[in-house]
Amino acid sequence: QKADVVIEFTAPDSAVSNIKFCTDMGLPVVCGTTGWNEELQEVTDYINGKKGTLVHASNFSLGVNIFFELNRKLAAMMAPYEEYRISMEEIHHTEKKDAPSGTAVTLAQGISEHTNLKKWHLGTDNESDSLPIDAQRIKDVKGTHTVQYSSIIDDIEIKHTAHSRDGFAIGAVIAAEWIIKHKGIFTMKDVLNLS
């Protein structure tokens, strides 16, 4: 009851109820839990109905959020060149519960905004309208995401590698400090003023 803001990084099956509970208590929420996107509209309606505040993101790392924007810009630049096949690889620690990662899904959404790949699928097989995402789980990997454009002539690749989890925590604290002065529903794009 004395908190200024709640930072919610739990599990997909408890995130929605946690967000609603904190909203009922009048507390702004910074949520980094992934795997509950299908309930985002319900949560949005609930928070708006209660005049609450939420920052949600699939990744709170400052570097990853810059990477998201770079990914969107590259997808827009590459859109006219259909000879390039787009694919993604993400690698995380073996305890990660969701696959692909929420970060990979956000990257896929950025690609779909500018290409004919309107959905994604797990694996490396090519499908005409779907982005292949190869999700690997390797012990002690903090998080690596690679987006590749491949043609018979050359490859173009962008990659983000997390060396520790400190970046996620720093981003969440920055979001918590920012959210206190705002009302509504936001993402890290808003917090970092990325256009």
Side-chain angles (χ1 to χ4, degrees), residues 26-184:
L27 294 168
V29 180
V30 172
C31 180
T33 304
T34 59
W36 58 274
N37 275 359
E38 64 280 353
E39 296 174 82
L40 182 58
Q41 189 58 56
E42 175 195 336
V43 170
T44 298
D45 294 342
Y46 192 87
I47 290 172
N48 286 337
K50 301 272 186 171
K51 296 186 175 25
T53 306
L54 171 70
V55 171
H56 66 93
S58 61
N59 195 308
F60 277 83
S61 160
L62 305 182
V64 165
N65 280 278
I66 292 167
F67 188 66
F68 286 155
E69 293 307 304
L70 179 62
N71 173 63
R72 282 189 192 93
K73 288 184 182 359
L74 181 59
M77 290 172 64
M78 295 299 294
Y81 305 104
E82 295 181 7
E83 62 269 29
Y84 285 89
R85 184 179 72 85
I86 311 169
S87 62
M88 189 188 315
E89 178 187 72
E90 63 99 338
I91 307 169
H92 281 87
H93 53 89
T94 52
E95 292 81 34
K96 180 137 184 76
K97 296 194 183 342
D98 53 340
S101 67
T103 300
V105 171
T106 301
L107 289 166
Q109 290 166 342
I111 291 167
S112 75
E113 290 171 14
H114 301 286
T115 69
N116 63 346
L117 302 176
K118 300 306 178 193
K119 57 186 179 178
W120 56 264
H121 65 276
L122 276 174
T124 56
D125 295 337
N126 289 330
E127 295 179 18
S128 61
D129 63 344
S130 183
L131 173 71
I133 302 176
D134 183 16
Q136 298 183 34
R137 298 296 173 256
I138 300 172
K139 188 175 181 180
D140 295 330
V141 174
K142 306 301 185 260
T144 301
H145 294 83
T146 306
V147 177
Q148 186 175 61
Y149 291 77
S150 299
S151 77
I152 59 170
I153 297 170
D154 58 12
D155 293 340
I156 299 169
E157 186 176 279
I158 57 173
K159 180 177 184 178
H160 179 272
T161 303
H163 299 299
S164 77
R165 294 195 176 119
D166 293 350
F168 311 124
I170 291 167
V173 171
I174 288 170
E177 292 171 342
W178 181 89
I179 200 175
I180 292 171
K181 302 177 186 121
H182 296 82
K183 275 279 183 207

Side-chain angles (χ1 to χ4, degrees), residues 3-15:
D4 296 315
V5 63
V6 172
I7 298 178
E8 202 283 346
F9 281 67
T10 59
D13 57 353
S14 58

